[in-house]
Amino acid sequence: MMYIRRKMCLWALAAMMSAAGHAQGVQFAEGKNFQQLLDSAKSVGKQLFIDCYTSWCGPCKMMARDVLPQKVCGDYFNPRFVSAKFDMEKGEGKELKDRFGVKAFPTFLFVGPSSGKEVARVVGGNKNAEAFIATVEKTLKSEPLSELTAQFEAGKRDSAFLQTYMDKLASAYMRDQLGEVVEVYLKGHEEKILTDRKLFEYVLYIKDPTTSSAFRYAWEHRDQLNPLYGQYASQRLAYTWDSFAHNRFIRKDAPTPLDAEGLAAYVELMKQQEVENAERIGLDVQIRAALMAKDWQQLWKDIMIYDKRFQAANEQACYWLKAIEEGCSDKGIRKQAAKWASARAKLSKSNEAKEAAKTEATRKALPAGVVPAAKIGASNVVFSEEFQKFADKLNAKK
């Protein structure tokens, strides 16, 4: 009994010491807006430190729970900074996210109180508090990203500067700007892509494959890239063709979201450039645009074309059926969708039975006590049941 009590006391003491240590961590100001925080920092001669987080970000939670409350962080940050936290998806945080171009979380901003401009940023957390502080120190001692950007905009283009600027943009996750700068750096020297892996990684951030000489060079030499940079190097380049189509030819704020003429020309260009699945990419964009516009007639037409040519995956089909079931009141479309869902339910049930028979045959062939290995990537969803549910809902009156 004495041993148990002693152990409980030790646990309580450890908990108290931990809580005391965390109480001495970074002190965050509360109830102040950005301008008030700048004024506070200016009045005490400190910089402003902003923890940019989101509610769903795991590393953000880890930093807030395990790292920033530590005494070593408090000892470093509290004498040097006025500190604040902003959820980048709520209130003034959304404005600050756009103002400072925050693209990844957590991002830790250091802002000059007089100018209100960024002095430095650290992207990403670190479980080791001392290592995190070392990163902050190193970043603060280096040339600010804002100054490098100003120099670039003023026309500075020497090789050493551009390399420093690209690395700084990469560490800040400012990928759009990085794509622009690497294009400038490689102009006339595109062959460097074949000998410098880091440059190849930077080329992947070029957004427009139609105008970039650096991207086009990488694409034309894609067969040489896999041996140099891994078997998926060419696939990563192919993703740029795909993502550009979705970003360029869907206009989110326009009455008609799809730039059909531009997309058609782009699909032809992809075919000329031997981009695999060029037509599929085009149809993907058309379907997404029809969903955004709630153009159910066009959506159904595009889905049928897609399924006939490429056989839609079960996950895709379920996503489309869900959108129709929830949003479409056109009885004709709902009836056709229900028929399609029912057919897919029957096909899935047949495929599931065949797969079950194979698994059973494999199990019987194994020695006693040995269990078949789980199939990698196998889904736990029983699609025959899911499709039948959609068929039933679509056949019901809306």
Side-chain angles (χ1 to χ4, degrees), residues 50 93 99 133-134 185 200-201 203 208 215 236 246 250 311 317 321 330 338 398:
I50 303 177
R99 175 172 179 166
I133 292 169
Y185 178 77
F200 168 70
E201 295 289 338
V203 165
D208 187 347
F215 180 88
R236 295 172 71 193
H246 285 269
I250 292 182
Q311 295 183 332
L321 287 167
D330 185 311
K398 184 172 176 66

Side-chain angles (χ1 to χ4, degrees), residues 30-43 48 82 92:
E30 295 182 4
K32 292 185 177 182
N33 62 32
F34 180 66
Q35 185 57 54
Q36 290 169 335
L37 289 164
L38 287 176
D39 293 341
S40 294
K42 188 175 182 180
S43 68
L48 176 60
V82 168
E92 194 176 14

Side-chain angles (χ1 to χ4, degrees), residues 201-367:
E201 295 289 338
Y202 290 173
V203 165
L204 294 171
Y205 297 130
I206 291 173
K207 293 174 64 178
D208 187 347
T210 66
T211 60
S212 168
S213 59
F215 180 88
R216 197 63 66 86
Y217 182 91
W219 181 250
E220 290 170 357
H221 294 80
R222 60 191 180 279
D223 291 339
Q224 298 176 46
L225 294 174
N226 287 344
L228 292 169
Y229 305 134
Q231 60 177 321
Y232 299 114
S234 59
Q235 291 183 25
R236 295 172 71 193
L237 285 169
Y239 177 75
T240 299
W241 290 102
D242 192 338
S243 60
F244 179 77
H246 285 269
N247 292 327
R248 174 59 65 88
F249 302 109
I250 292 182
R251 302 165 296 199
K252 294 182 180 179
D253 299 324
T256 305
L258 182 67
D259 176 3
E261 185 177 342
L263 178 62
Y266 184 67
V267 170
E268 288 305 310
L269 173 63
M270 286 193 291
K271 289 179 181 178
Q272 293 170 19
Q273 293 294 319
E274 300 178 347
V275 177
E276 191 176 0
N277 297 323
E279 288 190 7
R280 181 183 294 195
I281 291 170
L283 277 169
D284 274 334
V285 174
Q286 288 177 212
I287 289 171
R288 182 174 165 222
L291 277 167
M292 288 176 62
K294 301 187 187 305
D295 186 343
W296 305 111
Q297 292 283 348
Q298 186 63 50
L299 174 65
W300 186 246
K301 177 182 175 182
D302 290 338
I303 287 174
M304 289 297 96
I305 293 172
Y306 188 103
D307 194 42
K308 184 177 181 180
R309 292 184 186 176
F310 307 114
Q311 295 183 332
N314 285 332
E315 292 82 1
Q316 283 178 304
C318 283
Y319 177 75
W320 297 333
L321 287 167
K322 187 174 188 292
I324 294 170
E325 188 273 316
E326 292 180 349
C328 176
S329 58
D330 185 311
K331 293 181 180 178
I333 297 297
R334 291 179 70 86
K335 185 176 180 180
Q336 293 177 71
K339 185 177 179 181
W340 185 54
S342 182
R344 289 194 72 107
K346 291 176 183 177
L347 178 61
S348 294
K349 191 169 185 177
S350 174
N351 290 337
E352 288 158 7
K354 291 175 183 177
E355 191 64 33
K358 285 182 184 178
T359 302
E360 180 62 16
T362 301
R363 186 190 66 77
K364 288 181 177 179
L366 291 171

Side-chain angles (χ1 to χ4, degrees), residues 46-299:
K46 297 179 181 180
Q47 289 184 346
L48 176 60
F49 166 62
I50 303 177
D51 177 358
C52 304
Y53 70 96
T54 65
S55 60
W56 47 262
C57 166
C60 300
K61 294 176 182 178
M62 179 274 293
M63 291 297 292
R65 180 187 64 239
D66 301 331
V67 179
L68 296 175
Q70 290 187 34
K71 183 178 184 300
V72 66
C73 286
D75 290 344
Y76 177 79
F77 281 90
N78 294 338
R80 295 172 173 83
F81 309 100
V82 168
S83 301
K85 294 181 178 184
F86 283 94
D87 186 330
M88 294 288 102
E89 295 180 332
K90 294 180 181 178
E92 194 176 14
K94 293 190 286 187
E95 299 172 21
L96 295 177
K97 177 177 177 288
D98 294 337
R99 175 172 179 166
F100 291 104
V102 177
K103 305 290 186 183
F105 309 102
T107 288
F108 302 99
L109 293 175
F110 299 86
V111 180
S114 297
S115 66
K117 293 182 179 180
E118 177 183 333
V119 173
R121 76 170 59 193
V122 172
V123 179
N126 194 313
K127 293 180 180 179
N128 185 301
E130 288 82 1
F132 175 66
I133 292 169
T135 300
V136 170
E137 279 276 84
K138 181 180 178 182
T139 304
L140 288 170
K141 288 176 180 176
S142 64
E143 193 166 10
L145 180 58
S146 57
E147 290 186 17
L148 294 173
T149 299
Q151 292 174 44
F152 180 78
E153 291 175 349
K156 190 170 184 178
R157 294 294 186 272
D158 66 88
S159 178
F161 165 76
L162 290 175
Q163 289 182 55
T164 299
Y165 188 32
M166 287 189 293
D167 291 344
K168 195 84 170 180
L169 288 169
S171 66
Y173 278 71
M174 302 185 76
R175 295 174 175 178
D176 292 351
Q177 295 93 318
L178 175 57
E180 295 172 11
V181 178
V182 73
E183 177 72 21
V184 171
Y185 178 77
L186 287 171
K187 194 73 173 178
H189 305 282
E190 288 83 2
E191 70 282 354
K192 289 183 178 181
I193 297 168
L194 300 178
T195 56
D196 190 325
R197 183 176 190 132
K198 185 165 69 173
L199 283 176
F200 168 70
E201 295 289 338
Y202 290 173
V203 165
L204 294 171
Y205 297 130
I206 291 173
K207 293 174 64 178
D208 187 347
T210 66
T211 60
S212 168
S213 59
F215 180 88
R216 197 63 66 86
Y217 182 91
W219 181 250
E220 290 170 357
H221 294 80
R222 60 191 180 279
D223 291 339
Q224 298 176 46
L225 294 174
N226 287 344
L228 292 169
Y229 305 134
Q231 60 177 321
Y232 299 114
S234 59
Q235 291 183 25
R236 295 172 71 193
L237 285 169
Y239 177 75
T240 299
W241 290 102
D242 192 338
S243 60
F244 179 77
H246 285 269
N247 292 327
R248 174 59 65 88
F249 302 109
I250 292 182
R251 302 165 296 199
K252 294 182 180 179
D253 299 324
T256 305
L258 182 67
D259 176 3
E261 185 177 342
L263 178 62
Y266 184 67
V267 170
E268 288 305 310
L269 173 63
M270 286 193 291
K271 289 179 181 178
Q272 293 170 19
Q273 293 294 319
E274 300 178 347
V275 177
E276 191 176 0
N277 297 323
E279 288 190 7
R280 181 183 294 195
I281 291 170
L283 277 169
D284 274 334
V285 174
Q286 288 177 212
I287 289 171
R288 182 174 165 222
L291 277 167
M292 288 176 62
K294 301 187 187 305
D295 186 343
W296 305 111
Q297 292 283 348
Q298 186 63 50
L299 174 65

